Amino acid sequence: MTRRELDAAGITDPGLRAAYTRCRQLNARHGRTYFLATRLLPLERRSAVHALYGFARWADDIVDDLDRHRTPDEPGLLLTRLEGELAHALRTGGGTEPVVRAVADTADRYGIDVTLFADFLVSMRADLKVTDYPTYADLRAYMHGSAAVIGLQMLPVLGTVVPREEAAPHAAALGVAFQLTNFLRDVGEDLDRGRVYLPADLLAAHGVDRPLLEWSRRSGRRDPRIRAALVAAEALTRDVYRTAEPGIAMLDPRVRPCIRTAFTLYGGILDAIARHDYTVLHRRAVVSRRRRAATAAAGVLKVAGARWHAAPAAERRAGTERTGS
């Protein structure tokens, strides 16, 4: 499938093909929900989405310091190096890091605003020193770079049936909705890394603070105040999904099944959190394999329908005659 995707995208340079393949591998390994939805895209657009995901994942792994042998200063140095490599690749199209080379090529092919990458890296650097957010407004400022810009980077790749600026706020909101979902799902894991992404004002409104979260995580015991705060965080996240949803109809019809599938699967994580009674400090809520498969199957049918309607009338008639319908 990788070869077909690269051929369809017109990526012929062997080095670039290897770079895009590396990004696809990162997406398949780390972004199960995202990767599943991406497979519903037209072949020629998948490699670009893999590149955008791969770059974001590469930077995220640096700031999360998954290699515990690093010195305290090393993540910052690695991020500085990544910033330099990206600037060089965007300027020249070259570079030695495959993920960076692929994302720079994608930015050039689709005319993606390079300031979106700069904003992303600003938020990634914040993760090296910021461990909590006093208000939701503070968190939104962080999520502009860490999530909203991802939706905005995707828009030129996906294509729209309205002026791009009309779809942009919805695309940004979808990126934020996905990240808020991850924050809610990963409260316990983020706490282990010393971070609390749920805004302090939302937590405080229900009598919750960091020490209470740490006690619950450490002891495995529950507290009704924590549950109330998590219910409020879920409601806030669903509000952002409602803001994002009208943007799906603004996209190219051929990509809507992909985005609708991602929308449904990420929303399913919220459903799983509620179904497990908000025990995210003690277990990770996931969408079942059966539900992912069923959602993907529905997406495949929508893809077929979109291709049918997009095909010229003569081609559709010929297909009908071949099947004897």
CSV table of all heavy atoms in Angstrom, one decimal, residues 260-298:
chain,number,residue,atom,x,y,z
A,260,ARG,N,-15.0,12.3,9.2
A,260,ARG,CA,-16.1,11.8,9.9
A,260,ARG,C,-15.8,10.6,10.8
A,260,ARG,O,-16.2,10.5,12.0
A,260,ARG,CB,-17.3,11.5,9.0
A,260,ARG,CG,-18.5,10.9,9.7
A,260,ARG,CD,-19.1,11.8,10.7
A,260,ARG,NE,-19.7,13.0,10.2
A,260,ARG,CZ,-20.3,14.0,10.9
A,260,ARG,NH1,-20.3,13.9,12.2
A,260,ARG,NH2,-20.8,15.0,10.3
A,261,THR,N,-15.0,9.7,10.2
A,261,THR,CA,-14.6,8.5,11.0
A,261,THR,C,-13.7,8.9,12.2
A,261,THR,O,-13.9,8.4,13.3
A,261,THR,CB,-13.8,7.6,10.1
A,261,THR,OG1,-14.7,7.1,9.1
A,261,THR,CG2,-13.2,6.4,10.8
A,262,ALA,N,-12.7,9.8,11.9
A,262,ALA,CA,-11.9,10.3,13.0
A,262,ALA,C,-12.7,11.0,14.1
A,262,ALA,O,-12.5,10.8,15.3
A,262,ALA,CB,-10.8,11.2,12.5
A,263,PHE,N,-13.7,11.8,13.7
A,263,PHE,CA,-14.6,12.5,14.6
A,263,PHE,C,-15.4,11.5,15.4
A,263,PHE,O,-15.5,11.7,16.7
A,263,PHE,CB,-15.6,13.3,13.7
A,263,PHE,CG,-16.5,14.2,14.5
A,263,PHE,CD1,-16.2,15.5,14.7
A,263,PHE,CD2,-17.7,13.7,15.0
A,263,PHE,CE1,-17.1,16.4,15.4
A,263,PHE,CE2,-18.6,14.5,15.6
A,263,PHE,CZ,-18.3,15.8,15.9
A,264,THR,N,-15.9,10.5,14.8
A,264,THR,CA,-16.6,9.5,15.5
A,264,THR,C,-15.8,8.7,16.5
A,264,THR,O,-16.1,8.4,17.6
A,264,THR,CB,-17.3,8.5,14.5
A,264,THR,OG1,-18.2,9.3,13.7
A,264,THR,CG2,-18.2,7.5,15.3
A,265,LEU,N,-14.6,8.3,16.0
A,265,LEU,CA,-13.7,7.4,16.9
A,265,LEU,C,-13.2,8.2,18.1
A,265,LEU,O,-13.1,7.7,19.2
A,265,LEU,CB,-12.5,6.9,16.0
A,265,LEU,CG,-12.9,5.8,15.0
A,265,LEU,CD1,-11.7,5.4,14.2
A,265,LEU,CD2,-13.4,4.6,15.7
A,266,TYR,N,-12.8,9.5,17.9
A,266,TYR,CA,-12.3,10.3,19.0
A,266,TYR,C,-13.5,10.5,20.0
A,266,TYR,O,-13.3,10.5,21.2
A,266,TYR,CB,-11.7,11.5,18.5
A,266,TYR,CG,-10.2,11.4,18.3
A,266,TYR,CD1,-9.7,11.1,17.0
A,266,TYR,CD2,-9.3,11.6,19.3
A,266,TYR,CE1,-8.4,10.9,16.7
A,266,TYR,CE2,-7.9,11.5,19.0
A,266,TYR,CZ,-7.5,11.1,17.8
A,266,TYR,OH,-6.1,11.0,17.5
A,267,GLY,N,-14.6,10.8,19.4
A,267,GLY,CA,-15.8,11.0,20.3
A,267,GLY,C,-16.1,9.7,21.0
A,267,GLY,O,-16.6,9.8,22.2
A,268,GLY,N,-15.8,8.6,20.4
A,268,GLY,CA,-16.0,7.3,21.1
A,268,GLY,C,-15.1,7.1,22.3
A,268,GLY,O,-15.5,6.4,23.3
A,269,ILE,N,-13.9,7.8,22.3
A,269,ILE,CA,-13.1,7.8,23.5
A,269,ILE,C,-13.8,8.5,24.7
A,269,ILE,O,-13.8,8.0,25.8
A,269,ILE,CB,-11.8,8.5,23.3
A,269,ILE,CG1,-11.0,7.7,22.2
A,269,ILE,CG2,-10.9,8.6,24.5
A,269,ILE,CD1,-9.7,8.4,21.7
A,270,LEU,N,-14.5,9.6,24.4
A,270,LEU,CA,-15.3,10.2,25.5
A,270,LEU,C,-16.4,9.3,26.0
A,270,LEU,O,-16.7,9.2,27.2
A,270,LEU,CB,-15.9,11.5,24.9
A,270,LEU,CG,-15.0,12.7,24.6
A,270,LEU,CD1,-15.7,13.9,24.1
A,270,LEU,CD2,-14.1,13.0,25.8
A,271,ASP,N,-17.0,8.6,25.0
A,271,ASP,CA,-18.1,7.6,25.4
A,271,ASP,C,-17.5,6.6,26.4
A,271,ASP,O,-18.1,6.2,27.3
A,271,ASP,CB,-18.7,7.0,24.2
A,271,ASP,CG,-19.4,7.9,23.3
A,271,ASP,OD1,-19.9,9.0,23.8
A,271,ASP,OD2,-19.6,7.6,22.1
A,272,ALA,N,-16.3,6.1,26.0
A,272,ALA,CA,-15.6,5.0,26.8
A,272,ALA,C,-15.3,5.6,28.2
A,272,ALA,O,-15.4,4.9,29.2
A,272,ALA,CB,-14.4,4.5,26.1
A,273,ILE,N,-14.9,6.8,28.3
A,273,ILE,CA,-14.5,7.4,29.6
A,273,ILE,C,-15.8,7.5,30.4
A,273,ILE,O,-15.7,7.1,31.6
A,273,ILE,CB,-14.0,8.9,29.4
A,273,ILE,CG1,-12.5,8.8,28.8
A,273,ILE,CG2,-13.9,9.6,30.7
A,273,ILE,CD1,-12.0,10.1,28.3
A,274,ALA,N,-16.9,7.9,29.9
A,274,ALA,CA,-18.1,8.0,30.6
A,274,ALA,C,-18.6,6.6,31.0
A,274,ALA,O,-19.1,6.3,32.1
A,274,ALA,CB,-19.2,8.7,29.8
A,275,ARG,N,-18.4,5.6,30.1
A,275,ARG,CA,-18.9,4.3,30.4
A,275,ARG,C,-18.1,3.6,31.5
A,275,ARG,O,-18.6,2.8,32.3
A,275,ARG,CB,-18.7,3.4,29.1
A,275,ARG,CG,-19.4,2.0,29.2
A,275,ARG,CD,-19.5,1.4,27.8
A,275,ARG,NE,-18.2,1.3,27.1
A,275,ARG,CZ,-17.9,2.1,26.0
A,275,ARG,NH1,-18.8,3.0,25.6
A,275,ARG,NH2,-16.8,1.9,25.4
A,276,HIS,N,-16.8,4.0,31.6
A,276,HIS,CA,-16.0,3.5,32.7
A,276,HIS,C,-16.1,4.4,34.0
A,276,HIS,O,-15.3,4.3,34.9
A,276,HIS,CB,-14.5,3.4,32.3
A,276,HIS,CG,-14.3,2.4,31.2
A,276,HIS,ND1,-13.3,2.5,30.2
A,276,HIS,CD2,-15.0,1.3,30.8
A,276,HIS,CE1,-13.4,1.5,29.4
A,276,HIS,NE2,-14.4,0.8,29.7
A,277,ASP,N,-17.1,5.3,34.0
A,277,ASP,CA,-17.4,6.2,35.1
A,277,ASP,C,-16.2,7.1,35.5
A,277,ASP,O,-15.9,7.3,36.7
A,277,ASP,CB,-17.8,5.4,36.3
A,277,ASP,CG,-18.6,6.2,37.3
A,277,ASP,OD1,-19.2,7.2,36.9
A,277,ASP,OD2,-18.6,5.9,38.5
A,278,TYR,N,-15.5,7.6,34.5
A,278,TYR,CA,-14.5,8.6,34.6
A,278,TYR,C,-13.3,8.2,35.5
A,278,TYR,O,-12.7,8.9,36.3
A,278,TYR,CB,-15.1,9.9,35.2
A,278,TYR,CG,-16.3,10.4,34.4
A,278,TYR,CD1,-17.6,10.0,34.6
A,278,TYR,CD2,-16.1,11.2,33.2
A,278,TYR,CE1,-18.6,10.3,33.8
A,278,TYR,CE2,-17.1,11.6,32.4
A,278,TYR,CZ,-18.4,11.1,32.7
A,278,TYR,OH,-19.4,11.5,31.9
A,279,THR,N,-12.9,6.9,35.3
A,279,THR,CA,-11.8,6.4,36.1
A,279,THR,C,-10.5,6.5,35.4
A,279,THR,O,-9.6,5.6,35.4
A,279,THR,CB,-12.0,4.9,36.4
A,279,THR,OG1,-12.3,4.2,35.2
A,279,THR,CG2,-13.2,4.7,37.4
A,280,VAL,N,-10.3,7.7,34.7
A,280,VAL,CA,-9.1,7.9,33.9
A,280,VAL,C,-7.8,8.0,34.7
A,280,VAL,O,-6.7,7.8,34.1
A,280,VAL,CB,-9.3,9.1,33.0
A,280,VAL,CG1,-10.3,8.9,31.9
A,280,VAL,CG2,-9.7,10.3,33.8
A,281,LEU,N,-7.9,8.2,35.9
A,281,LEU,CA,-6.7,8.3,36.7
A,281,LEU,C,-6.2,6.9,37.0
A,281,LEU,O,-5.0,6.7,37.4
A,281,LEU,CB,-6.9,9.0,38.1
A,281,LEU,CG,-6.9,10.5,38.0
A,281,LEU,CD1,-7.5,11.1,39.2
A,281,LEU,CD2,-5.5,11.0,37.8
A,282,HIS,N,-7.0,5.9,36.8
A,282,HIS,CA,-6.6,4.5,37.1
A,282,HIS,C,-6.6,3.5,35.9
A,282,HIS,O,-6.1,2.4,36.1
A,282,HIS,CB,-7.6,4.0,38.2
A,282,HIS,CG,-7.8,5.0,39.3
A,282,HIS,ND1,-9.0,5.4,39.7
A,282,HIS,CD2,-6.9,5.6,40.1
A,282,HIS,CE1,-8.8,6.3,40.7
A,282,HIS,NE2,-7.6,6.4,40.9
A,283,ARG,N,-7.2,3.9,34.8
A,283,ARG,CA,-7.3,3.1,33.6
A,283,ARG,C,-7.4,3.9,32.4
A,283,ARG,O,-7.9,5.0,32.5
A,283,ARG,CB,-8.4,2.1,33.7
A,283,ARG,CG,-9.8,2.7,33.7
A,283,ARG,CD,-10.9,1.7,33.8
A,283,ARG,NE,-11.0,0.8,32.7
A,283,ARG,CZ,-11.9,-0.2,32.7
A,283,ARG,NH1,-12.8,-0.4,33.6
A,283,ARG,NH2,-11.9,-1.0,31.6
A,284,ARG,N,-6.9,3.4,31.3
A,284,ARG,CA,-6.9,4.2,30.0
A,284,ARG,C,-8.2,3.8,29.2
A,284,ARG,O,-8.3,2.6,28.9
A,284,ARG,CB,-5.7,3.9,29.2
A,284,ARG,CG,-5.4,4.9,28.2
A,284,ARG,CD,-4.0,4.6,27.6
A,284,ARG,NE,-3.4,5.8,26.9
A,284,ARG,CZ,-3.5,5.9,25.6
A,284,ARG,NH1,-4.1,5.0,24.8
A,284,ARG,NH2,-2.9,7.0,25.0
A,285,ALA,N,-9.0,4.7,29.0
A,285,ALA,CA,-10.2,4.4,28.2
A,285,ALA,C,-9.9,4.3,26.7
A,285,ALA,O,-9.2,5.1,26.2
A,285,ALA,CB,-11.3,5.5,28.4
A,286,VAL,N,-10.3,3.2,26.1
A,286,VAL,CA,-10.1,3.0,24.6
A,286,VAL,C,-11.3,2.6,23.9
A,286,VAL,O,-12.3,2.1,24.6
A,286,VAL,CB,-9.0,1.9,24.4
A,286,VAL,CG1,-7.6,2.4,25.0
A,286,VAL,CG2,-9.4,0.6,25.0
A,287,VAL,N,-11.4,2.9,22.6
A,287,VAL,CA,-12.5,2.4,21.8
A,287,VAL,C,-12.2,1.0,21.4
A,287,VAL,O,-11.1,0.6,21.0
A,287,VAL,CB,-12.6,3.3,20.5
A,287,VAL,CG1,-13.7,2.8,19.6
A,287,VAL,CG2,-12.9,4.7,20.9
A,288,SER,N,-13.1,0.1,21.6
A,288,SER,CA,-12.9,-1.3,21.3
A,288,SER,C,-12.5,-1.6,19.9
A,288,SER,O,-12.9,-0.8,19.0
A,288,SER,CB,-14.2,-2.1,21.7
A,288,SER,OG,-15.2,-1.9,20.7
A,289,ARG,N,-11.8,-2.6,19.7
A,289,ARG,CA,-11.4,-3.0,18.3
A,289,ARG,C,-12.7,-3.2,17.4
A,289,ARG,O,-12.7,-2.9,16.2
A,289,ARG,CB,-10.6,-4.3,18.3
A,289,ARG,CG,-10.0,-4.7,17.0
A,289,ARG,CD,-9.1,-5.9,17.2
A,289,ARG,NE,-7.9,-5.5,18.0
A,289,ARG,CZ,-7.0,-6.4,18.4
A,289,ARG,NH1,-7.1,-7.7,17.9
A,289,ARG,NH2,-6.0,-6.1,19.1
A,290,ARG,N,-13.7,-3.8,18.0
A,290,ARG,CA,-14.9,-4.1,17.2
A,290,ARG,C,-15.5,-2.8,16.8
A,290,ARG,O,-16.0,-2.7,15.6
A,290,ARG,CB,-15.9,-4.9,18.1
A,290,ARG,CG,-17.2,-5.2,17.4
A,290,ARG,CD,-18.2,-6.0,18.2
A,290,ARG,NE,-17.6,-7.3,18.5
A,290,ARG,CZ,-18.2,-8.2,19.3
A,290,ARG,NH1,-19.4,-7.9,19.8
A,290,ARG,NH2,-17.7,-9.4,19.4
A,291,ARG,N,-15.6,-1.8,17.7
A,291,ARG,CA,-16.2,-0.5,17.3
A,291,ARG,C,-15.4,0.2,16.3
A,291,ARG,O,-15.9,0.8,15.3
A,291,ARG,CB,-16.4,0.4,18.5
A,291,ARG,CG,-17.1,1.7,18.1
A,291,ARG,CD,-17.5,2.5,19.3
A,291,ARG,NE,-18.1,3.8,18.9
A,291,ARG,CZ,-18.6,4.7,19.7
A,291,ARG,NH1,-18.5,4.6,21.0
A,291,ARG,NH2,-19.1,5.8,19.2
A,292,ARG,N,-14.0,0.2,16.4
A,292,ARG,CA,-13.2,0.8,15.4
A,292,ARG,C,-13.4,0.2,14.1
A,292,ARG,O,-13.5,0.9,13.0
A,292,ARG,CB,-11.7,0.7,15.8
A,292,ARG,CG,-11.3,1.5,17.0
A,292,ARG,CD,-9.8,1.8,17.0
A,292,ARG,NE,-9.0,0.5,17.0
A,292,ARG,CZ,-8.6,-0.2,18.1
A,292,ARG,NH1,-9.0,0.3,19.3
A,292,ARG,NH2,-7.9,-1.3,18.0
A,293,ALA,N,-13.5,-1.2,14.0
A,293,ALA,CA,-13.7,-1.9,12.8
A,293,ALA,C,-15.1,-1.5,12.1
A,293,ALA,O,-15.2,-1.3,10.9
A,293,ALA,CB,-13.6,-3.4,13.0
A,294,ALA,N,-16.1,-1.4,13.0
A,294,ALA,CA,-17.4,-1.1,12.5
A,294,ALA,C,-17.5,0.3,11.9
A,294,ALA,O,-18.1,0.6,10.9
A,294,ALA,CB,-18.5,-1.3,13.6
A,295,THR,N,-16.8,1.2,12.6
A,295,THR,CA,-16.8,2.6,12.2
A,295,THR,C,-16.0,2.8,10.9
A,295,THR,O,-16.4,3.5,10.0
A,295,THR,CB,-16.2,3.5,13.3
A,295,THR,OG1,-16.9,3.4,14.5
A,295,THR,CG2,-16.2,5.0,12.9
A,296,ALA,N,-14.9,2.0,10.8
A,296,ALA,CA,-14.1,2.1,9.6
A,296,ALA,C,-14.9,1.5,8.4
A,296,ALA,O,-14.8,2.0,7.3
A,296,ALA,CB,-12.8,1.3,9.8
A,297,ALA,N,-15.6,0.4,8.7
A,297,ALA,CA,-16.4,-0.2,7.6
A,297,ALA,C,-17.5,0.8,7.1
A,297,ALA,O,-17.7,0.9,5.9
A,297,ALA,CB,-17.1,-1.5,8.1
A,298,ALA,N,-18.1,1.5,8.0
A,298,ALA,CA,-19.1,2.5,7.6
A,298,ALA,C,-18.4,3.6,6.7
A,298,ALA,O,-18.9,4.1,5.8
A,298,ALA,CB,-19.7,3.1,8.8
